[in-house]
Amino acid sequence: MNTTAKKEKIKFSKAFWVANTVELFERAAYYGVFIVITLYLSRILGFNDIQAATIAGTFSAFLYFLPTFAGALADKIGFRNSMLLAFSLLTIGYAGLGLYPTWLQSAGLVEYGTTTTFTGLLESNLRYGIIPIMILIVIGGSFIKSVISGTVAKETTPETRAKGFSIFYAMVNIGAFSGKTIVKPLREALGNEGLITLNYFSASMTFLALIAIWFFYKSSQHSGEGKTFGQIWTALIKVCTNGRLIILIFIISGFWMVQHQLYATMPKYVLRLAGEGASPSWYANVNPLVVVLTVNLVTQLMRKKTALTSMTFGMFIMPISALCMASGNMLDGNTNILGMHPVAFMMVVGIVFQGLAETFISPRFLEYFSLQAPKGEEGLYLGFSHLHSFLSSIFGFGLSGFLLSKYCPEPTLFASHEEWLTASANAHYIWYYFGAIALVSAFALIIYGKVVERLDAKQVRG
């Protein structure tokens, strides 16, 4: 009898498994493209470092900002229709990222191969035609972020919810890992043209997800919280006028500005300094690996500490990460470490520390954020808990583009390799900037905690 009861508790609906499977496909598609998005924008479409970073940062920022609003629309049209719309837009968008450069080539504006030769694209401004295509991906992705997690919540019971979300989290990480892994063999086999072909892989993943939703996703539990756009907008205004929350968001944005360099700075930095044989997409996989392996241990170690204490520990780990990343460029480039170029090896070490810092910060941030919300409005407030990622995408990518162009510029812009070596001699300074941002954020969080503690004590006395 007891065995039967236990089996019942871990049984999930068909809709649950379909939703988790398509989440795996979507994450593989997204991370396969996003890990090299700045390379695609620069090497395929000719954007300079600052332009590429600005476009990629805006793309990332709105993927974090729009899901709450998309979730409200999903409540009205239903989760199934929302996912059909989302995966249709994503498939068109990813296919467009592959087809658009092909059209540019047919127009005689650019030639692709192991290298890219621009024959008029830079003067035509047709490269900006990629932005509407990326907007399709942003809109489709914003629905996915809200609807899949909503499906997991609706298709589980209080007894199975923890298990359900652990499966969901595993699917997210498996998808992210597989998407990043496919990049290296494509780039090695096809050179820059692999950056185009990769988009067809992503389009095929989201198309498979579309087919799966069309044929297999059926659920009566499709409604969400039923929030209106007005309610969501009101919550956003409340969050932005809540002094404690907005200051906390700005402080934590310092951490995420550094974390986003996995996508903004690291791919170009590693390929330029360690050579085309480097594997930035594989190095980025170290982050989720460390998180999965250590998050439970860290949570256990910090269980008796406050959320602010745990976050502060993580914030002070980030400058160490940045210093490790910087140190690779100061080592002898002719001496490999465990078969890796020193820049690549120290980048991996830095990413290990980044992942460790994340385990101290991310889980406890949501806990603390929810406690700052007015009673009964926790759900609405948590909808904007990722405002820090919106801000850090805008500022983190923007700063990355400026620093890359200043300290580690594109080698093809120089007449000789020697000229480029001179121009990039201080490439590691990039990580000093981000290390400083992390350090300032860490001290700011300490001050924030002290001030909040005094205000709370004063309120209790009053």
Side-chain angles (χ1 to χ4, degrees), residues 9 24 34 38 44 51 54 81 142 216 223 233 260 310 402:
K9 286 183 181 180
L24 187 154
F34 193 62
T38 57
I44 302 303
Q51 292 167 333
T54 300
N81 288 335
S142 67
F216 303 112
S223 61
W233 185 256
H260 281 324
S310 179
F402 170 77

Side-chain angles (χ1 to χ4, degrees), residues 33 36 40 43-45 94-103 105 110-113 116 186-187 190-203:
V33 166
V36 290
Y40 170 87
R43 294 187 175 189
I44 302 303
L45 297 177
Y94 287 128
L97 291 181
L99 291 171
Y100 194 68
T102 304
W103 176 78
Q105 184 174 32
V110 63
E111 294 179 9
Y112 300 114
T116 302
L186 278 176
R187 224 175 26 82
L190 302 172
N192 284 343
E193 199 168 357
L195 298 173
I196 300 173
T197 307
L198 174 66
N199 296 293
Y200 297 125
F201 160 77
S202 294

Side-chain angles (χ1 to χ4, degrees), residues 22 25-26 29 83-84 86-95 199-216:
V22 299
F25 291 156
E26 190 275 331
M83 284 194 276
L84 289 173
F87 283 116
S88 296
L89 292 174
L90 288 171
T91 302
I92 295 169
Y94 287 128
N199 296 293
Y200 297 125
F201 160 77
S202 294
S204 67
M205 289 293 98
T206 53
F207 183 70
L208 284 175
L210 177 65
I211 297 299
I213 295 297
W214 180 269
F215 286 104
F216 303 112

Side-chain angles (χ1 to χ4, degrees), residues 242 244 306 308 368 371-372 448-462:
N242 184 317
R244 286 192 184 188
T306 65
L308 279 178
Y368 187 83
L371 292 174
Q372 305 310 304
Y448 174 86
K450 297 293 183 183
V451 172
V452 167
E453 188 178 356
R454 287 184 182 180
L455 291 175
D456 286 343
K458 188 181 293 185
Q459 197 172 35
V460 170
R461 288 197 302 268

